[in-house]
C-alpha cells in the first residue's frame, strides 16, 4: 500500500465519520463541525487525486490543488455563516438551538 | 541526512500523538489547551524537519502555523476571561 | 470555440454581479434603483441569447480567458439554459415590481436593514442562478451552488423571528451537506476522467464503480437542495416563513437551480444506459413527493404553508421526465417530448408559484393572517389577487391553456408512448388532489361577507397588478410554448440520443 | 566540513527530540495541571529551540535561517501566553473543587 | 523511503483518531479544541501530499475556523448544556452508522478502482504556464486558467458577509460589527497583541509576494492579515468600522472590482474576458492579487467578527 492510497482511504473514513456526526450529534454547533469534517475529507480525496497526477517535475496536478484552495475558503465562509446564524438564534431566545425537533408545524 | 530528519519527524509526531492522550483524558480545560499547545509546537517541529529535508515550502507553512497558533492562543486568552466561559470549560468530564 | 453570441453570456453573468455590488456599496435608496435598471437589461439579454440560439441553431459558447477546456472554463448556453435564464429574469422582474413598496428605505432616516438586504439579495440570487445555467464546468457549478445557498438562506430569515432563523439554519445545513456531496461526486469524476468540463465529460463518461458512485453522490446532494421527497423537510418552514417576495423567489427559482443541475448531470454528463436504470428511482421519489406533498398540503390550515407543501409536490413532477426520456430513447425515439415537458413544468411552476406566494402575501397583509378557514370576503376586497391565485392554481393543476397543461400533456403522452402508465396515473391523481385544495381555497375567498366587517387595509393597486400579470403569463404559457416549441432542444449535448 | 555540519544537525535535532519526549512524559505523568504546564514549556522552548538550532546550518539562504528563528520566537510567545492563561484557568479549576 | 511511509501512516491514524474524538466527545468545547488540532494535522498531511499551497491555506483558514468555533462554543455553552446530555436514539445511531459505513466503503472501493495511469492536466499546465510568467503552477491555475472560479470565490465571500450581516437585529443595523470587548490594556495579552500584528503583517506580505513563483498567495496572506486584525480588535487597539460605512463597503468589493475591470479590459486587449495581454500577465495578476488580498483580509476578519449585535449581546 502506498502513501497515496493510505490518504485516500483516510479521506473516505473522514467523510463517513462526518456524515455520522452530522446525523447523530444533536447540537447544531457539532453538526457544523461534522460538516467541516466531511468537507476536509472531500478536499483530502481531491488532494489524493492531485498527488496521483504527479508528472514531469510537479509533485501533484496543480488544477485540483488550486480547486482545493478555493474549496477550503468556500467551506470557511459557509461555517462562518452557519455559526453566525446559530449565535443569532441563540440570542433571539430560540429554545437551545434545537433545530431538528420543530416538525410540529406540519 | 534527509532520511534521518524524516525519522526525527516521525518521533516528534509520535510523541505529540502521545500528548494527545491528555487531550482525550482532560480532565480539565487547562489540560486540553496544553495538549493543543503541544500539538502546535510539535506540528511546527515536524514541518521544519520536513522543510529541511527538502520540501522548503514547509518552512513557510511552519511560519504560518506558528504565527496563527499564537493567534489562537491569544484569542483564547481574551475569551477565557469572559462570561459564559466557565460553563464551557466545565470542570472536565463528568 | 467561442461562438459569435458568446459575449452575451459574459454579459449575463456580469450584469447581475455589477448590480449586486452596486446595490451593496451604494445602499440606501440607490439599491432598488440599481436593481430596477438592471432587470430590464437582463430581460433584453435573455431574449438576445434566445434569438441567437434560434437563428444559429446551435449552443452559444464562450471560452473564458480564451483557455481551452479542460484547463480553462467555458460558458455554454443551450436551449435549456436560455429558457431558464428568461424565466428567471421575468420572475425576478415581477418580484421586484411587487416588492417595490414593501422594501422601500424610510425617507430621511438611516439606512434600514431589511430593504438593503432584500435589494442586495435579489441580484445575488440572480447572479447565482445565471451562473448555474451558464457554467459548463462541474467545479464552477459547485461555486455557483454555494452562491445560491448564501443568497437564499438570509432571505428565509429576513424578518429575524426565531422560528424563521431556525428554519434558515436547518435549510443551511441541508444545503451545505448537499453541495459537499455534489462536490465529492465531481471530484470522483475528475479522478477518473481528468476533466470537469461538461461537454468533454459527455463524450468520455462510461458506467463503472466510480461513475456510479459519483452519480449517486451528486444526485443525492442535489436532491437535498431541491427538496425532493424524502429530503424535503426543510422546505415548508423555510418557504412559508419568509416574506412573500422572498418566498416567491425561493419556491419559484432557487430550488430550480439545483434541479437544473440534475438535468445537466443525467441528460448531458451521464450516458443513457445509466439513466435507464436510475430514471425509475428518480421518478419513484418524484411520485412519492407528488402524493405526500399534496396529501400534506390538503391538511394545511395556513395558506403559505399550503403553497409551500404544494411546491414539494410540484417538484415531484419535475422528476417524472427522467424515465420517460430514457424510455423514449430506448424505443429509438427522440426524448424531446419528455425533456421539453419537464422543462416546461419547471417554467410553469416557477411563474405560477411565484404568483401564488405573492397573492398569499397580499392576502396576509390585508387580513393580518393567512388562516384558510377565515378567508371569506377576500375576493371582494382583492379581486385581482384572488383571480391571480386561481390562475396560478389552474396552472398547477394543469388545465388548458396553461403552461402546466402543456407540460403535463407532454409528460402524459410520453408515459403512454413508452408504456409507463403508472407515472401517468400518478400525474392524474396528483392533479385531482391539487385541484381540490386550490378549489377549496378559492371557494372560501369568494364567499361574500358584510363589507363592514372586512378590514380596510389598502393594498396598492400596482402590487395586485404585478401578481396578476405573472399569473396570466403562467396561464397563457401553454399557447406561447406552441411557437418556439423546439427551442429547448437547441444545442443539447445529446449524450442521451443514440 | 559538511560532515561536521551534519553531525551538529543530527546531535541538536535529536536532543530537541529528547526534550519533546520529556515534555510529553511530563504532560502525561505529572500529577496536577501546574506541574504539567512546567513540563510542557520545556518541550516548547527547548525542544523546538534545539531543532531550530540544529537546522540552521542546513538553511539554503539567510532568509530561511531568519524564518527558522522567527518561528521559534513565535512559538515562545504563544507558549508564554498559554502558560499564563492556563495557569489561571487551572487555579480556578482547583479552587473550585 | 521507509520513514516516509511510517510518517504517513502515523499521520493518517492521528487524523482519524482526532476526527473520531471530535465527533464522539461529550463537551462541545472539547470538540472544538480537537478540531483546531485536526486543522494542524491536516496542514502536515497536505505537505505530505506535495500540495504546499493547500497546506498554507489549511493552516491559515484552519486557525480562523478554530477561533470561530471556540468562541461559539463558549458563547453557546449555557444554552447547549442540556443538549450535551442528550443521547441520540439507538435506531438513529444504527441508521447513521450504516449510511456512513456505506459511503466509506464505496469511496474506498473507488480508491482502488481509479484508473492507472492517473489522468492529469500537468502537461497542459506546464505547456501554458510560460505564457503567464508565473513560477507557481497553482497560482497560474487560480488566476489565469480558471480565473472565473477565483473571481466567483471572491463573490462568495462577499455573499457570505452580506448573509452574516443580514442577521443583525434591526435596531443594531448600521453599527459596529461584533459584540464589543473591553480590552485590559495593561494586560500581558494586550502587550502581545501589539507585538504580534506587525510581525504578522510582514509575514503576510512575504507570503503574498512569494505566491507568484512559490507556494503562497492572496488567500493565505489575506487570512494572516485577517488574523492580525482580529487580534488588534480583540485587544481593543482598533475597532472595525460600522457596517453602514461606505468606505468599508468599497474596501470589501475592491478586489472583485479590480479583477472585473482587468478581466473586462482583456476583452478588447487580449481577445477574451479574463485574458491577459501578451507579456502583461504577471504584473496584472500581481495587481489583482494585491487588491484581492486586502479585500479578502477584511472580509475574512469581518466574517469571524459576525453581525452587528448592538448592546444586546454580552
Amino acid at each position: 500500500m502506498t502513501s497515496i492510497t493510505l490518504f485516500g482511504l483516510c479521506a473516505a473514513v473522514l467523510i463517513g465519520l462526518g456524515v455520522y456526526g452530522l446525523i447523530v450529534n444533536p447540537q447544531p454547533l457539532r453538526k457544523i463541525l461534522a460538516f467541516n469534517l466531511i468537507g476536509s475529507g472531500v478536499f483530502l480525496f481531491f488532494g489524493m487525486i492531485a498527488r496521483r497526477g504527479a508528472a514531469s517535475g510537479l509533485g501533484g496536478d496543480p488544477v485540483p490543488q488550486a480547486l482545493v484552495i478555493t474549496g477550503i475558503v468556500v467551506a470557511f465562509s459557509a461555517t462562518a455563516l452557519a455559526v453566525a446564524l446559530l449565535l443569532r438564534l441563540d440570542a433571539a431566545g430560540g429554545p437551545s438551538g434545537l433545530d431538528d425537533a420543530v416538525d410540529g408545524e406540519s | 541526512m534527509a532520511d534521518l530528519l524524516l525519522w526525527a519527524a516521525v518521533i516528534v509526531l509520535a510523541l505529540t500523538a502521545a500528548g494527545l492522550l491528555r487531550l482525550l483524558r482532560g480532565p480539565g480545560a487547562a489540560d486540553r489547551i496544553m495538549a493543543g499547545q503541544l500539538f502546535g509546537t510539535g506540528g511546527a517541529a515536524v514541518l521544519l524537519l520536513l522543510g529541511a529535508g527538502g520540501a522548503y515550502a514547509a518552512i513557510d507553512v511552519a511560519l504560518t502555523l506558528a504565527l496563527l497558533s499564537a493567534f489562537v492562543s491569544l484569542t483564547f486568552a481574551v475569551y477565557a476571561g469572559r462570561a459564559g466561559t466557565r460553563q464551557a470549560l466545565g470542570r472536565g468530564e463528568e | 470555440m467561442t461562438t459569435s453570441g458568446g459575449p452575451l453570456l459574459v454579459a449575463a453573468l456580469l450584469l447581475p454581479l455589477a448590480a449586486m455590488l452596486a446595490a451593496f456599496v451604494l445602499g440606501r435608496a440607490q439599491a432598488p434603483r440599481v436593481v430596477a435598471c438592471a432587470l430590464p437589461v437582463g430581460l433584453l439579454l435573455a431574449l438576445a441569447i434566445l434569438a441567437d440560439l434560434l437563428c444559429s441553431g446551435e449552443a452559444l459558447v464562450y471560452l473564458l480567458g480564451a483557455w481551452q477546456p479542460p484547463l480553462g472554463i467555458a460558458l455554454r448556453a443551450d436551449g435549456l439554459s436560455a429558457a431558464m435564464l428568461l424565466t428567471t429574469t421575468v420572475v425576478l422582474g415581477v418580484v421586484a415590481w411587487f416588492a417595490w413598496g414593501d422594501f422601500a428605505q424610510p425617507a430621511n432616516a438611516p439606512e434600514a436593514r431589511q430593504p438593503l438586504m432584500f435589494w442586495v439579495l435579489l441580484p445575488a440570487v440572480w447572479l447565482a442562478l445565471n451562473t448555474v445555467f451558464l457554467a459548463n464546468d462541474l467545479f464552477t457549478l459547485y461555486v455557483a451552488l454555494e452562491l445560491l445557498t448564501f443568497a437564499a438562506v438570509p432571505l428565509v430569515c429576513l424578518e429575524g423571528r426565531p422560528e424563521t432563523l431556525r428554519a434558515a439554519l436547518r435549510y443551511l445545513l441541508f444545503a451545505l451537506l448537499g453541495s459537499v456531496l455534489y462536490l465529492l461526486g465531481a471530484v470522483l469524476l475528475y479522478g477518473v476522467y481528468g476533466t470537469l468540463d461538461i461537454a468533454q465529460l459527455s463524450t468520455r463518461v462510461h458506467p463503472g464503480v466510480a461513475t456510479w458512485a459519483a452519480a449517486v453522490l451528486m444526485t443525492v446532494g442535489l436532491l437535498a437542495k431541491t427538496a425532493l421527497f424524502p429530503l424535503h423537510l426543510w422546505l415548508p418552514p423555510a418557504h412559508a416563513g419568509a416574506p412573500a417576495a422572498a418566498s416567491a423567489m425561493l419556491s419559484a427559482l432557487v430550488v430550480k437551480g439545483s434541479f437544473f443541475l440534475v438535468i445537466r448531470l443525467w441528460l448531458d454528463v451521464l450516458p443513457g444506459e445509466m439513466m435507464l436504470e436510475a430514471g425509475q428511482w428518480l421518478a419513484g421519489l418524484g411520485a412519492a413527493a407528488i402524493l405526500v406533498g399534496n396529501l400534506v398540503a390538503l391538511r394545511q390550515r395556513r395558506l403559505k404553508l399550503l403553497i409551500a407543501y404544494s411546491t414539494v409536490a410540484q417538484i415531484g413532477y419535475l422528476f417524472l421526465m427522467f424515465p420517460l426520456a430514457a424510455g423514449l430513447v430506448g424505443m429509438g425515439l427522440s426524448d424531446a417530448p419528455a425533456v421539453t415537458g419537464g422543462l416546461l413544468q419547471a417554467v410553469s411552476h416557477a411563474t405560477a408559484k411565484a404568483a401564488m406566494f405573492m397573492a398569499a402575501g397580499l392576502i396576509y397583509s390585508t387580513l393580518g393572517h393567512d388562516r384558510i378557514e377565515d378567508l371569506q370576503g377576500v375576493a371582494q376586497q382583492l379581486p385581482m389577487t384572488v383571480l391571480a391565485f386561481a390562475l396560478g392554481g389552474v396552472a398547477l393543476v394543469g388545465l388548458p391553456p396553461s403552461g402546466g397543461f402543456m407540460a403535463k400533456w407532454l409528460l402524459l403522452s410520453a408515459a403512454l408512448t413508452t408504456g409507463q402508465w403508472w407515472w401517468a396515473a400518478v400525474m392524474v391523481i396528483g392533479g385531482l388532489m391539487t385541484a381540490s385544495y386550490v378549489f377549496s381555497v378559492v371557494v372560501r375567498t369568494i364567499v361574500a361577507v358584510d363589507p363592514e366587517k372586512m378590514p380596510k387595509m389598502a393594498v396598492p393597486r400596482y402590487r395586485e397588478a404585478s401578481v396578476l400579470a405573472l399569473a396570466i403569463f403562467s396561464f397563457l404559457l401553454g399557447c406561447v410554448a406552441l411557437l418556439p416549441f423546439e427551442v429547448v432542444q437547441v444545442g443539447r449535448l445529446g449524450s442521451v440520443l443514440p | 566540513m559538511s560532515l561536521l555540519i551534519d553531525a551538529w544537525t543530527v546531535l541538536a535535532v535529536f536532543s530537541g527530540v529528547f526534550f519533546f519526549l520529556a515534555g510529553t512524559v511530563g504532560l502525561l505523568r505529572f500529577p496536577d495541571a501546574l506541574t504539567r504546564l512546567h513540563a510542557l514549556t520545556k518541550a516548547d522552548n527547548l525542544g523546538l529551540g534545539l531543532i531550530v538550532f540544529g537546522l540552521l546550518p542546513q538553511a539554503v539562504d539567510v532568509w530561511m535561517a531568519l524564518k527558522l528563528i522567527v518561528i521559534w520566537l513565535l512559538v515562545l510567545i504563544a507558549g508564554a501566553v498559554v502558560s499564563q492563561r492556563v495557569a489561571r484557568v487551572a487555579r480556578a479549576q482547583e479552587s473550585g473543587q | 523511503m521507509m520513514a516516509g511511509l511510517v510518517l504517513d501512516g502515523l499521520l493518517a491514524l492521528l487524523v482519524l483518531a482526532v476526527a473520531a474524538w471530535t465527533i464522539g466527545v461529550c463537551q462541545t468545547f472539547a470538540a472544538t479544541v480537537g478540531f483546531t488540532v485536526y486543522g494542524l494535522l491536516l496542514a502536515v498531511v497536505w505537505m505530505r501530499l506535495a500540495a504546499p499551497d493547500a497546506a498554507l491555506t489549511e493552516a491559515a483558514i484552519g486557525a480562523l475556523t478554530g477561533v470561530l468555533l471556540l468562541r461559539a462554543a463558549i458563547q453557546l455553552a449555557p444554552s447547549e448544556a442540556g443538549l450535551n446530555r442528550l443521547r441520540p436514539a439507538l435506531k438513529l445511531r444504527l441508521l447513521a452508522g450504516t449510511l456512513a459505513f456505506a459511503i466509506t466503503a464505496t469511496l474506498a472501493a473507488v480508491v482502488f478502482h481509479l484508473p492507472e495511469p492517473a489522468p492529469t492536466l500537468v502537461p497542459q499546465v506546464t505547456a501554458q504556464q510560460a505564457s503567464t510568467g508565473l513560477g507557481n503552477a497553482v497560482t497560474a491555475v487560480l488566476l489565469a486558467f480558471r480565473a472565473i472560479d477565483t473571481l466567483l470565490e471572491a463573490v462568495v465571500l462577499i455573499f457570505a458577509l452580506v448573509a452574516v450581516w443580514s442577521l443583525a437585529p434591526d435596531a443594531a443595523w448600521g453599527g459596529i460589527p461584533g459584540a464589543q470587548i473591553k480590552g485590559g490594556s495593561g494586560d500581558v495579552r494586550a502587550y502581545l497583541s501589539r507585538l504580534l500584528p506587525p510581525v504578522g503583517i510582514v509575514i503576510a506580505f512575504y507570503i503574498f509576494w512569494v505566491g507568484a513563483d512559490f507556494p503562497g498567495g492572496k488567500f493565505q496572506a489575506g487570512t494572516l492579515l485577517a488574523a492580525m486584525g482580529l487580534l488588534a480588535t480583540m485587544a481593543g487597539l482598533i475597532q472595525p468600522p460600522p457596517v453602514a460605512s461606505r468606505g468599508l463597503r468599497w474596501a470589501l468589493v475592491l478586489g472583485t472590482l479590480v479583477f472585473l475591470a482587468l478581466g473586462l479590459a482583456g476583452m478588447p486587449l487580449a481577445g477574451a474576458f479574463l485574458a491577459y495581454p501578451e507579456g502583461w500577465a504577471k504584473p496584472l495578476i500581481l495587481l489583482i492579487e494585491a487588491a484581492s488580498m486586502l479585500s479578502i483580509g477584511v472580509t475574512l476578519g469581518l466574517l469571524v467578527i459576525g453581525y452587528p449585535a448592538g448592546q444586546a449581546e454580552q
Side-chain angles (χ1 to χ4, degrees):
Chain A
M1 174 171 319
T2 64
S3 292
I4 300 178
T5 319
L6 193 73
F7 284 129
L9 295 179
C10 180
V13 179
L14 281 180
I15 294 168
L17 273 174
V19 169
Y20 179 79
L22 191 67
I23 300 176
V24 163
N25 281 332
Q27 309 93 323
L29 192 61
R30 300 291 289 276
K31 284 186 193 286
I32 297 170
L33 238 154
F35 157 74
N36 270 291
L37 278 192
I38 305 178
S40 64
V42 173
F43 300 142
L44 206 55
F45 207 94
F46 217 10
M48 183 267 300
I49 284 167
R51 184 79 180 94
R52 279 167 49 85
S56 59
L58 280 181
D61 187 345
V63 173
Q65 289 185 354
L67 299 185
V68 163
I69 294 176
T70 308
I72 290 176
V73 179
V74 171
F76 170 76
S77 7
T79 309
L81 174 56
V83 166
L85 197 45
L86 183 53
L87 290 177
R88 177 72 172 93
L89 179 61
D90 192 61
S96 320
L98 231 187
D99 65 322
D100 278 316
V102 285
D103 265 338
E105 285 156 296
S106 54
Chain B
M1 188 66 204
D3 220 35
L4 266 180
L5 291 182
L6 214 51
W7 276 114
V10 170
I11 301 172
V12 172
L13 190 66
L15 288 173
T16 24
L20 194 71
L21 288 176
R22 198 35 90 187
L23 186 69
L24 298 181
R25 284 215 307 243
D31 297 287
R32 299 231 156 98
I33 296 153
M34 278 194 269
Q37 166 70 14
L38 179 69
F39 239 92
T41 314
V46 170
L47 284 169
L48 285 183
L49 290 166
L50 290 182
Y56 295 118
I59 308 270
D60 285 352
V61 181
L63 188 62
T64 311
L65 205 84
L67 181 64
L68 287 172
S69 70
F71 160 66
V72 175
S73 310
L74 271 168
T75 313
F76 178 75
V78 168
Y79 277 91
R82 297 182 65 207
T85 315
R86 291 290 283 280
Q87 284 112 313
L89 308 182
R91 200 155 294 132
E93 308 287 271
E94 29 284 78
Chain C
M1 272 294 91
T2 295
T3 59
S4 62
L8 288 172
L9 307 183
V10 177
L13 289 193
L14 295 193
L15 178 70
L17 175 56
M20 185 263 170
L21 292 178
F24 177 55
V25 172
L26 301 175
R28 290 214 184 87
Q30 303 298 325
R33 285 183 208 146
V34 168
V35 177
C37 295
L39 279 166
V41 182
L43 186 62
L44 291 180
L45 266 176
L47 288 172
I49 291 172
L50 203 63
D52 190 289
L53 265 175
L54 282 174
C55 294
S56 68
E58 55 187 38
L60 284 72
V61 179
Y62 192 88
L63 299 183
L64 291 161
W67 304 105
Q68 283 290 345
L71 196 54
I73 295 171
L75 298 178
R76 192 170 183 284
D78 54 11
L80 294 173
S81 329
M84 292 309 289
L85 278 179
L86 187 62
T87 312
T88 303
T89 329
V90 168
V91 172
L92 285 181
V94 177
V95 167
W97 176 10
F98 172 82
W100 190 258
D102 241 4
F103 290 100
Q105 286 285 354
N108 306 323
E111 185 180 74
R113 180 186 64 92
Q114 284 195 38
L116 174 76
M117 285 304 160
F118 181 82
W119 294 110
V120 173
L121 291 170
L122 189 144
V125 168
W126 189 18
L127 168 66
L129 285 169
N130 279 8
T131 316
V132 167
F133 300 143
L134 295 178
N136 204 36
D137 181 280
L138 292 182
F139 190 82
T140 312
L141 286 170
Y142 162 72
V143 180
L145 278 177
E146 293 293 42
L147 282 176
L148 193 55
T149 305
F150 292 171
V153 167
L155 280 174
V156 170
C157 56
L158 208 54
E159 286 172 352
R161 283 176 287 123
E163 64 270 25
T164 63
L165 288 165
R166 195 170 302 113
L169 181 61
R170 187 148 46 143
Y171 173 30
L172 180 62
L173 287 173
F174 263 96
L176 291 181
L177 178 67
S179 31
V180 88
L181 289 180
Y182 166 85
L183 179 65
L184 181 57
V187 163
L188 296 187
L189 288 181
Y190 184 88
V192 180
Y193 304 106
T195 181
L196 291 164
D197 183 75
I198 288 180
Q200 290 191 330
L201 280 172
S202 72
T203 59
R204 294 185 196 176
V205 172
H206 50 80
V209 181
T211 311
W212 269 109
V216 171
L217 287 168
M218 291 171 92
T219 309
V220 171
L222 292 169
L223 295 188
K225 292 174 93 93
T226 313
L228 182 64
F229 177 88
L231 298 170
H232 66 286
L233 286 174
W234 60 264
L235 186 144
H239 287 192
S247 303
M249 277 193 265
L250 293 168
S251 223
L253 298 175
V254 171
V255 289
K256 304 297 187 309
S258 41
F259 169 70
F260 187 80
L261 288 192
V262 180
I263 300 189
R264 273 272 179 268
L265 180 68
W266 286 98
L267 259 48
D268 291 351
V269 175
L270 299 170
E273 60 257 45
M274 284 175 74
M275 194 166 80
L276 211 51
E277 290 179 50
Q280 297 291 334
W281 288 93
L282 284 173
L285 292 178
I290 295 173
L291 298 177
V292 172
N294 278 332
L295 210 59
V296 183
L298 273 169
R299 301 206 334 253
Q300 292 308 311
R301 301 240 170 101
R302 285 186 42 217
L303 188 56
K304 286 188 84 176
L305 270 170
L306 179 146
I307 304 174
Y309 272 102
S310 127
T311 298
V312 172
Q314 294 289 322
I315 286 169
Y317 284 104
L318 300 173
F319 287 86
L320 295 183
M321 67 185 271
F322 294 104
L324 304 181
L328 288 171
V329 174
M331 294 168 71
L333 301 169
S334 158
D335 63 356
V339 175
T340 310
L343 189 89
L344 204 54
Q345 165 69 16
V347 174
S348 152
H349 175 249
T351 47
K353 190 48 63 76
M356 289 171 84
F357 257 123
M358 291 190 289
L362 288 181
I363 292 173
Y364 190 99
S365 53
T366 309
L367 299 182
H369 70 81
D370 65 344
R371 289 186 304 276
I372 295 170
E373 55 201 43
D374 300 328
L375 289 181
Q376 293 84 352
V378 172
Q380 279 164 285
Q381 190 129 358
L382 301 169
M384 279 158 79
T385 304
V386 169
L387 181 59
F389 185 90
L391 288 178
V394 165
L396 289 193
V397 176
L399 298 180
S402 69
F405 165 73
M406 198 67 208
K408 276 155 195 143
W409 183 72
L410 284 167
L411 289 172
L412 269 176
S413 58
L416 297 178
T417 314
T418 56
Q420 304 180 58
W421 54 267
W422 50 92
W423 302 133
V426 170
M427 272 185 268
V428 172
I429 296 171
L432 289 175
M433 290 162 89
T434 314
S436 70
Y437 60 72
V438 170
F439 187 70
S440 78
V441 170
V442 174
V443 163
R444 281 242 165 66
T445 58
I446 51 182
V447 173
V449 294
D450 184 0
E452 294 302 307
K453 284 186 188 158
M454 286 299 299
K456 285 283 180 246
M457 280 285 292
V459 168
R461 188 54 58 86
Y462 77 90
R463 301 187 71 187
E464 280 202 273
S466 68
V467 180
L468 187 60
L470 193 60
I472 291 176
F473 181 81
S474 170
F475 185 68
L476 297 179
L477 198 60
C479 315
V480 180
L482 285 172
L483 308 172
F485 183 62
E486 290 303 318
V487 70
V488 301
Q489 299 299 324
V490 175
R492 290 262 314 272
L493 284 168
S495 63
V496 173
L497 295 168
Chain D
M1 186 60 196
S2 94
L3 194 71
L4 207 65
I5 289 178
D6 281 2
W8 160 249
T9 300
V10 170
L11 187 73
V13 163
F14 279 89
S15 327
V17 170
F18 172 76
F19 277 99
F20 267 100
L21 175 69
T24 306
V25 170
L27 190 61
L28 289 178
R29 304 286 305 186
F30 281 172
D32 62 89
L34 288 174
T35 46
R36 290 198 282 264
L37 185 60
H38 174 75
L40 175 69
T41 50
K42 292 295 154 293
D44 273 358
N45 305 351
L46 279 168
L48 191 71
L50 281 168
I51 288 178
V52 164
F53 266 109
L55 296 181
L56 274 181
Q58 305 284 337
V60 286
D61 54 23
V62 66
W63 291 109
M64 184 165 157
L66 193 66
K67 279 190 275 184
L68 288 173
I69 293 173
V70 170
I71 289 169
W72 184 47
L73 289 177
L74 283 171
V75 170
L76 278 185
I77 289 177
V81 178
V82 170
S83 306
Q84 192 247 12
R85 186 50 53 179
V86 162
R88 198 174 283 183
V89 171
R91 208 169 52 205
Q93 226 163 260
E94 251 132 59
S95 64
Q97 265 163 4
Chain E
M1 276 297 88
M2 183 64 192
L5 199 58
V6 173
L7 183 64
D8 292 341
L10 191 59
L11 259 179
L13 269 181
L14 269 177
V15 165
L16 290 181
V18 176
W21 186 74
T22 305
I23 293 294
V25 69
C26 283
Q27 278 187 336
T28 303
F29 175 77
T32 56
V33 175
F35 188 77
T36 319
V37 170
Y38 173 81
L40 279 170
L41 281 171
L42 276 189
V44 183
V45 171
W46 284 114
M47 270 324 292
R48 297 297 299 164
L49 282 170
D53 293 273
L56 269 175
T57 314
E58 183 71 55
I61 294 281
L64 280 197
T65 315
V67 165
L68 195 66
L69 294 172
L70 266 168
R71 197 194 54 187
I74 290 173
Q75 284 185 356
L76 291 171
S79 53
E80 270 202 344
L83 288 174
N84 280 339
R85 244 165 273 123
L86 216 72
R87 290 312 295 169
L90 181 67
K91 220 163 73 180
L92 183 70
R93 275 186 286 168
L94 277 179
L95 181 83
T98 319
L99 187 65
F101 180 78
I103 291 176
T104 302
T106 315
L107 290 175
V110 170
V111 170
F112 290 107
H113 277 86
L114 286 174
E116 285 295 345
T120 176
L121 292 179
V122 169
Q124 284 98 320
V125 171
T126 37
Q128 307 284 350
Q129 194 181 336
S131 69
T132 64
L134 298 168
N136 182 357
V138 173
T139 306
V141 173
L142 281 176
L143 281 136
F145 312 138
R146 298 183 64 98
I148 186 77
D149 282 350
T150 312
L151 175 62
L152 286 177
E153 185 203 17
V155 179
V156 165
L157 284 174
I158 298 175
F159 272 33
L161 188 64
V162 166
V164 168
W165 280 3
S166 81
L167 299 171
D170 276 318
W173 180 252
I176 289 163
Q180 303 314 302
I181 300 152
K182 292 164 253 34
S185 50
D187 211 342
V188 55
R189 65 191 188 230
Y191 166 68
L192 286 171
S193 337
R194 284 203 185 91
L195 178 72
L196 218 46
V199 181
I201 289 168
V202 172
I203 296 177
F205 275 89
Y206 164 76
I207 297 277
F208 157 70
W209 181 249
V210 299
D213 293 323
F214 301 101
K218 61 185 167 101
F219 293 129
Q220 297 89 342
T223 315
L224 289 181
L225 286 184
M228 295 308 114
L230 284 170
L231 263 187
T233 311
M234 283 185 292
L237 297 175
I238 58 170
Q239 208 178 29
V243 296
S245 147
R246 293 305 110 145
L248 175 62
R249 292 192 196 166
W250 280 110
L252 289 171
V253 301
L254 174 73
T256 312
L257 286 184
V258 171
F259 210 151
L260 267 180
L262 293 181
L264 276 174
M267 274 177 125
L269 298 178
F273 178 60
L274 292 175
Y276 304 105
E278 194 76 41
W280 280 87
K282 191 170 172 179
L284 290 180
I285 284 174
L286 278 178
L287 185 60
I288 292 173
E289 284 220 289
S292 304
M293 173 180 68
L294 296 177
S295 291
I296 287 173
V298 178
T299 316
L300 289 176
L302 289 173
L303 273 175
V304 175
I305 288 179
Y307 57 86
Q311 308 298 323
E313 197 174 294
Q314 175 21 24

